[in-house]
Amino acid sequence: QVQLVESGGGSVQAGGSLRLSCAASGYTFSSNCVAWFRQAPGKEREGVARGSMISGTTYADSVKGRFTISKDNAKNTLYLQMNSLKAEDTAMYYCAARGSGACSGWNFPYWGQGTQVTVSS
């Protein structure tokens, strides 16, 4: 059974940084496609970043240059480094994964429970 557990969310002032983590059990990140999503109150869920070894990384225009998705295969942990945070980045953030390295599209079968990020201006 695949379980993804996010951590690292919190409250930060605009311009600050946070690093989200996503630990997996029953699943190995390694070369598979992984992603981060977010959902703000009253808004649809949006893909923030996705990537795999064979497909490279893709970022939403709204976070490009500020957010970085990465993995530590030894720790089997996925990260989202978020810099220069803005009030509009406030949302629940979710990690997601699939069982292949093909990384087109935003459909993922495995999801974490989310971690809240709040950015105050």
Side-chain angles (χ1 to χ4, degrees):
Q1 182 179 357
V2 176
Q3 285 191 320
L4 304 177
V5 180
E6 302 93 337
S7 62
S11 297
V12 63
Q13 289 191 331
S17 298
L18 281 175
R19 188 178 76 161
L20 306 183
S21 299
C22 174
S25 59
Y27 177 87
T28 302
F29 287 119
S30 62
S31 60
N32 289 319
C33 181
V34 292
W36 287 95
F37 288 76
R38 67 186 181 186
Q39 187 167 21
K43 294 189 176 181
E44 292 187 357
R45 185 177 62 194
E46 65 169 336
V48 172
R50 67 172 190 255
S52 72
M53 288 181 61
I54 62 173
S55 298
T57 54
T58 299
Y59 294 93
D61 287 343
S62 58
V63 307
K64 205 170 291 183
R66 300 188 298 122
F67 289 13
T68 303
I69 186 172
S70 64
K71 294 184 290 184
D72 185 330
N73 289 333
K75 295 182 178 179
N76 201 31
T77 300
L78 175 68
Y79 300 103
L80 183 69
Q81 178 67 44
M82 306 186 295
N83 298 328
S84 302
L85 283 161
K86 305 175 181 180
E88 51 263 44
D89 294 320
T90 295
M92 185 72 78
Y93 283 73
Y94 302 87
C95 63
R98 62 172 69 133
S100 77
C103 218
S104 60
W106 294 98
N107 293 316
F108 290 83
Y110 307 125
W111 291 84
Q113 85 291 346
T115 186
Q116 178 68 38
V117 172
T118 302
V119 184
S120 57
S121 56

